[in-house]
């Protein structure tokens, strides 16, 4: 997982950066397209004013030049107004038609100035207005499409960022719990007997004191359990078998511990147990049952030898179990 995160993290960051850069450019383009809409609208309105003035005998060459200047910049992307070229075929075609129709209107204006009838100029101006409308609508539509695409890219960026964040959070939470488990395991190795898994005595009594302090209304007893003549087992059956017996008993006893009960290993073949109880008889009977079950298990019976477990309350006396 760590290796995968090392690979995925730069890839995700690179993707986010790339999408962000493209989105910023798109947003900038949309702003420029809004400017195109405004200036095509200016051409539409100014051209109609030019025609109106010409038909009323008030020519305005400066306004004519203003319209031509804007049209040229719309077509070339070069000029003082900062207009850009939009990558829209429909818009470009409409813009070409608008330029052609403007040239027609110019010719009609020259004719009116030479005394021709103005009806043809009026008809040409109406057609110019329609083309200008189409041009405005085409750049508006293109701008809206770009805005939708940009919104989609921003959404993708957000999703990718959220996915990257979730992956990072998952990775670090998983790492945290892995470290926690490792620390608990290492702590267990430090506080528990390597052979049996029971608590070392120092840790056992620390836990005993903690449990009893937290549960002052409950009754607890510390019992000891001792395998009698365990040296005989080691001598006759070998130390490996002796170790198996100790491990087996520890596992057996711990599997039968209740809440707030503990098992510790005092030395060699001696264990101590913290138990909750209501009466001393019930306490000793419970422990006798556990010991009897172990002595009757296949691990003990496999070598067909007698074994005795002695034990008792550290304060109140003892009991014995044989097998």
């Amino acid at each position: 997982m760590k290796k995968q995160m090392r690979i995925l993290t730069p890839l995700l960051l690179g993707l986010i950066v790339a999408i962000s850069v493209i989105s910023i450019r798109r947003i900038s383009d949309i702003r420029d397209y809004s400017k195109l809409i405004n200036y095509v609208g200016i051409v539409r309105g100014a051209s109609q004013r030019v025609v109106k003035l010409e038909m009323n005998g008030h020519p305005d060459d400066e306004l004519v030049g203003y319209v031509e200047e804007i049209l040229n910049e719309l077509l070339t992307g070069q000029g003082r107004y900062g207009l850009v070229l939009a990558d829209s075929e429909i818009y470009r075609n409409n813009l070409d038609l608008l330029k052609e129709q403007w040239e027609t209107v110019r010719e009609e204006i020259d004719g009116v100035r030479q005394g021709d009838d103005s009806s043809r100029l009026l008809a040409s101006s109406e057609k110019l207005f329609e083309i200008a409308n189409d041009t405005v609508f085409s750049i508006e539509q293109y701008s809206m499409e770009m805005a939708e695409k940009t919104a989609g890219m921003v959404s993708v960026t957000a999703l990718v960022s959220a996915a990257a964040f979730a992956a990072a959070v998952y990775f670090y939470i998983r790492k945290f719990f892995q470290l926690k488990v490792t620390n608990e395991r290492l702590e267990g190795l430090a506080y528990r007997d390597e052979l049996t898994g029971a608590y070392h005595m120092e840790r056992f009594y620390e836990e005993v004191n903690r449990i009893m302090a937290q549960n002052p209304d409950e009754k607890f007893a510390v019992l000891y359990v001792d395998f009698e003549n365990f040296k005989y087992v080691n001598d006759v059956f070998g130390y490996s078998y002796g170790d198996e017996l100790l491990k087996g008993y520890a596992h057996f006893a711990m599997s039968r511990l209740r809440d707030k009960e503990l098992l510790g290993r005092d030395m060699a073949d001696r264990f101590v147990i913290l138990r909750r109880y209501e009466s001393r008889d019930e306490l000793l009977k419970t422990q006798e049952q556990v010991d009897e079950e172990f002595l009757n298990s296949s691990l003990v019976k496999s070598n067909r030898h007698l074994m005795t477990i002695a034990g008792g309350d550290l304060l109140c006396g003892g009991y014995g179990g044989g097998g």
Side-chain angles (χ1 to χ4, degrees):
M1 183 64 179
K2 187 174 181 181
K3 183 178 180 180
Q4 293 174 338
M5 285 299 297
R6 286 179 178 176
I7 297 174
L8 288 176
T9 298
L11 290 177
L12 286 172
L13 290 175
L15 180 61
I16 292 171
V17 170
I19 295 176
S20 299
V21 170
I22 295 173
S23 298
I24 291 171
R25 290 188 60 183
R26 286 284 180 83
I27 292 172
S28 177
D29 289 342
I30 292 170
R31 180 192 61 192
D32 292 333
Y33 299 153
S34 298
K35 196 172 184 180
L36 293 179
I37 294 170
N38 291 334
Y39 275 85
V40 173
I42 289 173
V43 169
R44 179 178 57 188
S47 63
Q48 294 305 300
R49 180 170 176 74
V50 166
V51 171
K52 181 179 180 180
L53 290 172
E54 291 291 341
M55 292 178 66
N56 286 280
H58 301 288
D60 189 340
D61 290 336
E62 184 177 348
L63 186 57
V64 170
Y66 178 58
V67 172
E68 290 187 344
E69 184 181 19
I70 294 175
L71 270 173
N72 288 331
E73 187 167 340
L74 287 170
L75 287 164
T76 63
Q78 298 178 354
R80 60 175 176 161
Y81 301 112
L83 305 179
V84 298
L85 298 176
D87 189 20
S88 168
E89 185 176 355
I90 297 176
Y91 165 70
R92 297 288 299 175
N93 290 338
N94 284 332
L95 203 57
D96 290 337
L97 292 174
L98 184 62
K99 176 65 174 177
E100 291 175 5
Q101 189 60 29
W102 170 251
E103 295 297 336
T104 299
V105 169
R106 279 298 310 274
E107 292 175 1
E108 299 295 341
I109 287 174
D110 291 339
V112 169
R113 288 182 181 182
Q114 294 174 11
D116 292 344
D117 183 67
S118 61
S119 60
R120 293 180 60 186
L121 175 59
L122 181 60
S124 296
S125 69
E126 289 293 330
K127 186 174 182 181
L128 177 68
F129 187 83
E130 292 176 3
I131 296 173
N133 272 343
D134 291 341
T135 307
V136 170
F137 293 149
S138 63
I139 188 60
E140 283 181 341
Q141 181 64 34
Y142 183 68
S143 180
M144 289 175 60
E145 291 174 359
M146 290 300 100
E148 291 175 358
K149 290 181 180 180
T150 302
M153 295 185 70
V154 171
S155 298
V156 170
T157 304
L159 290 174
V160 172
S161 300
F165 178 75
V169 170
Y170 170 77
F171 172 76
Y172 287 111
I173 289 177
R174 182 179 178 184
K175 190 68 175 178
F176 170 79
F177 283 108
Q178 286 177 341
L179 289 174
K180 184 178 179 181
V181 170
T182 300
N183 289 337
E184 289 175 351
R185 183 173 61 82
L186 292 175
E187 181 179 330
L189 292 175
Y191 294 132
R192 292 183 179 273
D193 176 54
E194 183 177 356
L195 176 65
T196 64
Y199 279 115
H200 291 306
M201 291 306 298
E202 182 179 355
R203 183 64 176 183
F204 175 81
Y205 283 115
E206 287 178 1
E207 291 296 307
V208 167
N209 291 330
R210 179 184 63 80
I211 291 173
M212 294 179 67
Q214 291 177 353
N215 302 274
D217 296 330
E218 296 191 58
K219 296 170 70 174
F220 292 93
V222 176
L223 306 176
Y224 72 84
V225 176
D226 189 8
F227 289 81
E228 291 188 344
N229 300 317
F230 195 73
K231 184 177 183 300
Y232 169 80
V233 174
N234 286 331
D235 291 342
V236 174
F237 300 101
Y239 285 95
S240 295
Y241 177 68
D243 287 345
E244 289 300 317
L245 280 177
L246 295 176
K247 286 193 293 183
Y249 181 79
H251 182 270
F252 192 86
M254 285 191 288
S255 69
R256 286 156 177 74
L257 292 177
R258 298 175 299 172
D259 183 39
K260 304 171 190 173
E261 295 185 343
L262 306 172
L263 176 71
R265 186 184 182 192
D266 186 8
M267 63 181 71
D269 58 338
R270 180 169 174 170
F271 295 91
V272 288
I273 303 174
L274 174 69
R275 287 202 181 278
R276 292 185 292 121
Y277 73 100
E278 295 296 331
S279 68
R280 182 176 181 279
D281 289 341
E282 173 258 334
L283 170 71
L284 298 180
K285 183 178 180 180
T286 298
Q287 189 59 40
E288 285 176 351
Q289 288 176 345
V290 171
D291 293 343
E292 286 295 333
E293 286 182 33
F294 175 72
L295 291 173
N296 289 318
S297 67
S298 59
L299 177 64
V300 178
K301 293 294 187 179
S302 61
N303 281 313
R304 298 182 180 181
H305 67 280
L306 296 177
M307 178 177 290
T308 302
I309 297 178
D313 189 301
L314 289 181
L315 298 177
C316 304
Y319 68 92

